[in-house]
Amino acid sequence: MPSDVQWIAARIAEARKNHDSVTDAVSVRMEKLLGDELSEQLLSTTKLSSIAKLLVADMVPASSDTEAKE
Amino acid sequence: MRIETIQMSWFRGAADPVSLESNCKSLVVYGENASGKSCFVDAVEYVLNNGKIGHLTHEYSGKHQGKAIHNTHKPKGQKTELRIRFENDSELKVVINSDGSFTSSGAETIAMNTWRYGRTVLRQDEVAAFIHDTKGGKYSALLPLFGLHQLEIAAENLRHLAKSVEKQSKLTEAKTTLSRIKTKRKETFGADSDGQILTKIGDLHSSYCVDQVTTRDALPRCEELETAIHKRIGQFSVDQKRYLALHSAGERDLKSPLHDIRTASVELAQAVEPFIVEKLEVLAATGEFVEKLEDKKDVECPACGQMIPVETFRAHVKTEQERLQTLRDTLNARKTSIGTLSDNVKSLKSSLSKEDVKLWKEELSKGPLADNLTYLDQINAEALRTSCEEKDLKEIEDKLVPLIDTAAADSKDAPVEVQKLSTDKEIVSVGKDTITATDLAASAARAEVLISFINSLEQGVREEIRLRSEAVIGEISQDLCDMWAILHPDEPIEDVRLYLPQNTDKAIDIGLKFFGVKQDSPRLTLSEGYRNSLGLCIFLAMAKRESDNDRPLILDDVVVSFDRNHRGMIVEVLEKCFNKRQVLLRTHDREWYTELRQQLEGKTWGFKTLLPYETPDIGIRWSHKTTTFDDARSHLKERPDSAGNDARKIMDIELALIAERLLIRLPFMRADRNDTRMAHDFLERLVADGQKCFQKKVGTDYVTHSDALDALHKVDCLLVSWANRASHTFDVVRPEAMKLIDSCEKALEFFKCTSCDKWIWFADAQGSEWVQCQCGEIRWRYGKG
């Protein structure tokens, strides 16, 4: 699987339908992760924590996004 | 990759090097019980499973495995070794140390440790293991065949990632803080909306910060207000400052959080103890319980012991989860109240540590509240968050509440401007927290969305696993169905297939139709023999799925519980589905071995027989013959009567199969005696019919094969006299038994051509009337006796 880029993109698009506040940054990062690290081997807690930290930061809308929404 | 030889030295039952040589063909190995057949399987398992042998697990595994791996009579200085040679002439050498560990070398091109044991070897006791395994176990066994390893990893990583996000975003702590702020907001602002709070802040800003119009943002306004109020306090008189500090201290509410904490503690104490007892019982019964859920409509509730429908049990579990949620809510409420208590104690300490109330405290320290002030100085308010027991609550109640009451009483007559400033200060403080909470709430909401998003992705991946599994399962099921149909033609068990149960992840089961009725598990209706048959089909269907790997299949005595009808069809399955794979069959069933020897094509199959085991220092030995007469010979020394009896039994089997092959017509006998004819019955007919039917080639002509008929007649006479004596009166002597065995073996050899080494029924000749060996040296005329 997850080397199947289109499949991953479709999955993420599907999941975003019910989570419209998920940012593009999260989507892009998750797409890369699913095609790469997340599918290769079970990750350590430390590694997962660092990924989680990045995703939490990605969830903060960029100022341009905020402006666009406003 | 085919195996050419498996050689063992002092491994298990082996002594000096003994080799199983297949010449890269498929092979049938016959040996009576304990002759050492399974030692060769152990050798393969040892290599495949990195030095482990399944049936030696537990007490004879790990460092104790050495006890079982080496021959008990291995002489000092001898090495325990395994050598496996492959068709490309590479060889894997394994030297086993005294503790059972090993070092291996050679055969670099063949990663034998990547061959999965479960796809390569099937032993007698493992035949029905798949059927008896749990649905989860079945899933795990099949998973590597699905090629969904990456998806499984992705799903697991996503599951853990969601938890990591929860931890990283400090979601739980954020929720506790928000809950505390909500409580303070309610105390200070009642039901005011955000807008109304901002208006109040704005009004205060207008009042206290007349000259400052720099910002309209709420948070900077609060900060400006705090500065202005602080400045105004600085201008207060000493009395005003004292009133303010005491008023602030008197406003602290410790009673409410103390009450809330106690209420929650009581609720928890009442609920938790019986709950824990129940949960322990449930946990203790979980393993058994899950098993029962798989196949039964009703289960025994582990908590109450009553039989209940599965649906009721699920409702029961849901109720338990709700109870658990209630407990979690109470725990969270207690945590929030402890936070409030901690905050209020901190505020109290702050208020009463000011210089403004120094005189007031000095006065107080001369009276009965002296200890209370000392306690206030010493208490660590922050530490309450991690540990808050009843003795802490009692001390706070006894020591701090009277201080608050005294401060409140002494500030009751505070001037109006002081009371107002105190109230305004509180509004600004809580207002600021409320405004800050908006960001915290937004951050928590983002974390929750992110977690839900990741969970949703995990579900998506699991759904994909399900879809792809179904496709693979469909293919395996088709093979399973086909093999079952070969083994069990025209039987009322049909539509045998694997399926993924609904509403359960990581689970697989086997369904079938029993007399037309759909069954969700073979355990519901199938007999042990049928389950074994099904287990064999599943193993073979899974092995077929890996046919690209071209690895040998090793079947170790897997037909023990098969009756003759079903056992006979296994050859068809193997020839139809595995004609390009090397199959190494082991059996202790002489009759089946004889059948296989006669049915399987010598070009692709070899046959070997093991001699009965004698002593550990002699070890495992091969017979030079492919027949089983060496079993009989092994008894010559000690029990010649047994040797003679064995020879007769071998002849019963061999001649029955020959008679069947040559369509010998035998007189009908009553009841089941047709199925229990003995060697004499067959020999009598073979000799009589053979006068017209058994011919050998002399020059260009065919003549009656009188040598063969003489030999058959002679052996018939010996069987009637000596073999019957061996069976009934046990008075056959060794030379007699030896002659009997040799004569039997020699007589049977006449049915195989000495030139082309093929059986007399190898090919049809001259239409359907004659059968002959491949070169035509010997032939038999059907049905003309």
Side-chain angles (χ1 to χ4, degrees), chain B residues 610-629:
Chain B
L610 283 165
L611 290 173
Y613 199 76
E614 290 191 12
T615 60
D617 41 0
I618 294 174
I620 298 166
R621 292 170 305 153
W622 292 108
S623 164
H624 298 297
K625 310 280 176 58
T626 57
T627 61
T628 58
F629 284 104

Side-chain angles (χ1 to χ4, degrees), chain B residues 692-693 695-697 700-703 760-784:
Chain B
K692 290 181 184 172
C693 302
Q695 295 184 343
K696 68 174 179 181
K697 202 172 189 180
T700 53
D701 298 326
Y702 281 97
V703 297
I760 196 170
W761 51 79
F762 178 80
D764 288 334
Q766 297 182 17
S768 59
E769 198 168 337
W770 290 89
V771 283
Q772 64 171 49
C773 65
Q774 190 171 27
C775 65
E777 197 69 24
I778 51 174
R779 65 179 188 176
W780 185 275
R781 193 177 190 185
Y782 276 140
K784 296 292 178 185

Side-chain angles (χ1 to χ4, degrees), chain B residues 544-711:
Chain B
K544 192 178 171 211
R545 172 86 188 161
E546 288 189 332
S547 57
D548 292 346
N549 292 331
D550 187 29
R551 291 167 186 165
L553 283 181
I554 300 175
L555 305 177
D556 187 17
D557 245 350
V558 293
V559 295
V560 170
S561 62
F562 285 50
D563 58 31
R564 192 173 181 278
N565 294 340
H566 296 109
R567 191 185 58 194
M569 307 307 287
I570 290 176
V571 174
E572 194 178 331
V573 173
L574 292 177
E575 290 212 303
K576 196 169 176 185
C577 305
F578 297 94
N579 57 349
K580 289 183 180 163
R581 293 270 288 272
Q582 185 185 30
V583 180
L584 304 176
L585 271 178
R586 281 144 179 74
T587 182
H588 76 278
D589 186 325
R590 183 183 288 146
E591 191 178 343
W592 192 45
Y593 173 73
T594 307
E595 263 181 59
L596 292 173
R597 201 159 48 84
Q598 294 185 2
Q599 290 175 10
L600 293 170
E601 173 58 53
K603 201 162 79 180
T604 49
W605 285 85
F607 302 91
K608 286 190 168 290
T609 60
L610 283 165
L611 290 173
Y613 199 76
E614 290 191 12
T615 60
D617 41 0
I618 294 174
I620 298 166
R621 292 170 305 153
W622 292 108
S623 164
H624 298 297
K625 310 280 176 58
T626 57
T627 61
T628 58
F629 284 104
D630 280 341
D631 277 0
R633 289 193 179 92
S634 69
H635 300 300
L636 278 172
K637 196 172 165 188
E638 306 289 337
R639 294 284 311 276
D641 55 320
S642 290
N645 196 25
D646 268 8
R648 187 186 54 74
K649 284 194 279 189
I650 293 168
M651 289 300 275
D652 288 348
I653 294 168
E654 296 270 0
L655 291 168
L657 291 165
I658 289 170
E660 198 175 317
R661 284 287 182 151
L662 299 179
L663 304 181
I664 300 296
R665 285 182 290 194
L666 293 157
F668 179 76
M669 294 163 83
R670 276 198 296 171
D672 59 355
R673 291 175 63 199
N674 281 306
D675 296 327
T676 55
R677 294 177 202 275
M678 299 181 71
H680 170 68
D681 301 317
F682 299 117
L683 282 168
E684 207 173 30
R685 291 307 311 169
L686 280 166
V687 172
D689 291 3
Q691 301 296 334
K692 290 181 184 172
C693 302
F694 200 171
Q695 295 184 343
K696 68 174 179 181
K697 202 172 189 180
V698 178
T700 53
D701 298 326
Y702 281 97
V703 297
T704 302
H705 200 331
S706 48
D707 298 344
L709 297 178
D710 287 349

Side-chain angles (χ1 to χ4, degrees), chain B residues 421-441:
Chain B
L421 192 129
S422 178
T423 306
D424 292 348
K425 189 168 170 263
E426 185 71 10
I427 288 172
V428 172
S429 171
V430 178
K432 189 181 170 189
D433 282 350
T434 305
I435 293 160
T436 313
T438 311
D439 286 345
L440 187 63

Side-chain angles (χ1 to χ4, degrees), chain A residues 1 7 19 38 41 43 59, chain B residues 150-151 154 157 446 452 464:
Chain A
M1 103 132 195
W7 182 87
H19 301 87
L38 287 179
Q41 59 179 20
L43 298 178
M59 273 299 282
Chain B
Q150 281 185 305
L151 278 171
N157 276 332
R446 283 198 300 272
S452 172
E464 185 68 13

Side-chain angles (χ1 to χ4, degrees), chain B residues 141-297:
Chain B
L142 283 164
L143 189 59
L145 289 179
F146 298 158
L148 303 176
H149 186 56
Q150 281 185 305
L151 278 171
E152 277 292 334
I153 285 178
E156 275 306 289
N157 276 332
L158 285 169
R159 190 166 71 86
H160 290 295
L161 183 60
K163 287 181 181 168
S164 200
V165 166
E166 186 175 349
K167 201 173 167 186
Q168 199 58 237
S169 59
K170 296 181 178 162
L171 189 58
T172 311
E173 294 90 328
K175 283 181 177 174
T176 308
T177 304
L178 288 169
S179 171
R180 209 166 60 236
I181 293 172
K182 192 177 166 190
T183 307
K184 281 172 80 176
R185 170 180 169 156
K186 196 176 174 188
E187 283 169 10
T188 310
F189 295 107
D192 284 355
S193 66
D194 287 353
Q196 287 169 319
I197 292 171
L198 291 180
T199 304
K200 281 184 180 173
I201 298 284
D203 291 346
L204 286 177
H205 191 265
S206 307
S207 163
Y208 284 92
C209 311
V210 181
D211 303 330
Q212 291 172 290
V213 286
T214 51
T215 180
R216 294 187 61 79
D217 287 346
L219 201 57
R221 279 187 162 192
C222 286
E223 283 159 2
E224 286 174 2
L225 266 169
E226 281 176 334
T227 309
I229 288 171
H230 187 70
K231 192 176 171 188
R232 184 109 22 128
I233 291 169
Q235 294 164 350
F236 271 8
S237 67
V238 172
D239 276 353
Q240 282 177 314
K241 283 180 181 171
R242 179 171 52 80
Y243 271 123
L244 183 64
L246 291 178
H247 187 261
S248 175
E251 288 279 293
R252 296 306 109 208
D253 177 17
L254 297 186
K255 289 176 183 169
S256 300
L258 282 170
H259 174 266
D260 292 346
I261 294 167
R262 282 192 171 121
T263 306
S265 297
V266 168
E267 278 178 28
L268 285 171
Q270 286 171 346
V272 165
E273 193 177 348
F275 194 74
I276 288 173
V277 172
E278 281 176 34
K279 290 301 134 195
L280 285 174
E281 284 175 13
V282 171
L283 281 174
T286 300
E288 182 189 348
F289 207 56
V290 171
E291 282 290 320
K292 288 178 179 174
L293 264 179
E294 288 190 352
D295 285 323
K296 296 188 176 180
K297 299 289 179 198

Side-chain angles (χ1 to χ4, degrees), chain B residues 34 39 50 80 116 160 185 208 214 327 341 351 410 462 465 524 568 571 647 666 720 775:
Chain B
C39 291
N50 202 26
T80 303
R116 285 176 59 83
H160 290 295
R185 170 180 169 156
Y208 284 92
T214 51
L327 280 180
L341 181 71
S351 300
D410 291 350
R462 295 215 182 275
I465 290 173
L524 296 170
V571 174
L666 293 157
V720 169
C775 65

